[in-house]
């Protein structure tokens, strides 16, 4: 599991909340403490839809406006926790992997990120975790996001 901080939170939050860099990620859950406490479950309510929807989780692009409304204002949120995951389609290219998570925790003007992976079946082989970490580091580099690895 890789843990890192984002020194330039302003740039990262602009990409996350105003840009489209994260729009293909699935949104799993979020908690925001700002003017009010907001909790969002990203599980899609399949009974709501007339047509068949394949993804069980809402995309970040669907949830982003709700999160933006909760955090916008003159003061930064006290804290915010978001859990994103790679889409099922992209996760399929990782061996023995059920889900890949990017956990974001913003607290006291610090943005801490941790990565994790859920396996399809138990294995001591952690190649999928290394591949996921590499994928995220490449993603960060391609979007101008500098990181600082935690020990």
């Amino acid at each position: 599991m890789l843990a890192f901080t984002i020194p330039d939170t302003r740039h990262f939050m602009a990409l996350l909340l105003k840009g489209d860099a994260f729009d293909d990620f699935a949104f799993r859950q979020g908690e925001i403490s700002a003017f009010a406490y907001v909790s969002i479950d990203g599980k899609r309510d399949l009974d709501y839809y007339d047509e068949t929807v394949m993804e069980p989780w809402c995309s970040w692009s669907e949830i982003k406006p709700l999160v933006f409304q909760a955090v916008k204002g003159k003061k930064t949120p006290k804290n915010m926790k978001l859990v994103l995951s790679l889409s099922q389609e992209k996760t399929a290219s990782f061996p023995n992997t059920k889900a890949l998570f990017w956990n974001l925790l913003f607290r006291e003007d610090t943005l801490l990120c941790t990565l994790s992976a859920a396996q399809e079946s138990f294995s001591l082989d952690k190649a999928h975790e290394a591949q996921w970490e590499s994928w995220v580091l490449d993603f960060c580099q391609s979007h101008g996001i500098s990181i600082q690895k935690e020990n």
Side-chain angles (χ1 to χ4, degrees):
M1 178 180 77
L2 179 64
F4 56 93
T5 56
I6 308 287
D8 188 355
T9 56
R10 190 181 240 29
H11 173 65
F12 184 89
M13 289 303 197
L15 289 172
L16 182 68
L17 297 172
K18 295 179 180 177
D20 61 1
F22 291 87
D23 285 359
D24 290 338
F25 283 85
F27 177 82
R28 295 297 184 113
Q29 66 180 25
E31 297 173 8
I32 303 161
S33 179
F35 69 95
Y37 178 80
V38 178
S39 178
I40 306 170
D41 182 358
K43 185 89 170 141
R44 193 179 297 280
D45 182 0
L46 298 177
D47 294 334
Y48 178 80
Y49 297 92
D50 295 332
E51 67 278 352
T52 303
V53 178
M54 300 304 291
E55 285 283 340
W57 302 97
C58 295
S59 69
W60 173 245
S61 62
E62 293 172 289
I63 298 294
K64 180 171 50 175
L66 299 172
V67 173
F68 183 76
Q69 280 298 120
V71 301
K72 78 176 186 176
K74 293 180 181 179
K75 294 176 79 173
T76 59
K78 289 194 306 187
N79 59 59
M80 176 171 66
K81 181 178 100 174
L82 303 174
V83 179
L84 304 177
S85 67
L86 204 57
S87 69
Q88 287 181 329
E89 180 183 330
K90 290 182 180 176
T91 300
S93 67
F94 291 77
N96 190 34
T97 304
K98 186 174 185 173
L100 297 162
F101 301 101
W102 189 338
N103 307 294
L104 308 166
L105 177 61
F106 178 78
R107 186 181 325 158
E108 299 174 5
D109 294 324
T110 301
L111 179 58
L112 174 66
C113 299
T114 57
L115 305 178
S116 57
Q119 297 177 329
E120 286 282 348
S121 58
F122 177 76
S123 173
L124 294 175
D125 182 11
K126 302 295 182 195
H128 65 289
E129 289 181 8
Q131 185 182 353
W132 173 228
E133 292 171 3
S134 177
W135 190 96
V136 169
L137 294 175
D138 289 346
F139 176 89
C140 288
Q141 185 176 19
S142 70
H143 290 90
I145 302 168
S146 62
I147 69 163
Q148 184 174 11
K149 291 185 182 179
E150 298 294 303
N151 294 330

